[in-house]
Amino acid sequence: MMKAITRQRQLRQAMPEAEHLLWRFLRNRNLCGVKFRRQHPIGCYIVDFACIERLLIVELDGGQHNEDEAKIYDQRRTDYLQRGGWRVIRFWNHQVFEEFDAVMEEIYRQLLLPGPSP
């Protein structure tokens, strides 16, 4: 547990600029009044942003995620998260800078989809 907390702190301190930008708009219930957590642990993974009440994960990927090995890892990770009931949406870092409104619209759209049953 302590190892995961340490890793979360490291990831928060080393957030890429795209994550910093998106976090400014997701934090403090700014979008649809829902709470997002950043660098949130789920099982053995730490996700970029998670909205627990809507079971939505937002992942931002840099160029390293375009390599074959990373694609396999990301798919395995996404499969695991989806088996746990999470919806996972991914954006490339450059989309946050170049298509910010479209990124926010997609996150908003996902938040409006029916959520999990209580």
Side-chain angles (χ1 to χ4, degrees):
M1 181 67 167
M2 187 57 105
K3 190 176 185 179
I5 292 171
T6 301
R7 182 70 180 137
Q8 283 175 264
R9 287 183 184 143
Q10 290 171 341
L11 290 170
R12 285 183 187 138
Q13 291 171 354
M15 278 177 41
E17 188 58 34
E19 288 183 22
H20 274 290
L21 176 59
L22 188 58
W23 179 238
R24 289 197 321 239
F25 289 85
L26 295 180
R27 66 187 297 178
N28 297 325
R29 299 183 184 270
N30 285 333
L31 189 60
C32 295
V34 299
K35 180 175 179 69
F36 274 91
R37 297 170 187 231
R38 66 183 170 133
Q39 305 305 331
H40 182 70
I42 300 173
C44 59
Y45 299 105
I46 297 176
V47 301
D48 293 337
F49 304 102
C51 176
I52 295 171
E53 66 188 88
R54 302 289 173 87
L55 289 177
L56 177 65
I57 294 170
V58 178
E59 288 286 300
L60 296 185
D61 296 335
Q64 72 276 14
H65 289 267
N66 208 20
E67 297 175 13
D68 290 339
E69 199 171 299
K71 287 178 184 179
I72 293 167
Y73 173 83
D74 286 344
Q75 187 57 57
R76 188 176 313 128
R77 185 175 188 261
T78 297
D79 292 344
Y80 170 85
L81 295 165
Q82 288 175 334
R83 282 192 305 274
W86 293 89
R87 280 179 291 142
V88 180
I89 56 175
R90 292 182 170 279
F91 301 99
W92 293 103
N93 285 345
H94 73 85
Q95 287 178 283
V96 173
F97 298 118
E98 297 169 12
E99 306 165 29
F100 187 78
D101 289 342
V103 168
M104 291 302 292
E105 285 175 24
E106 180 58 18
I107 296 170
Y108 178 79
R109 189 181 75 72
Q110 291 289 327
L111 288 170
L112 295 180
L113 292 176
S117 301

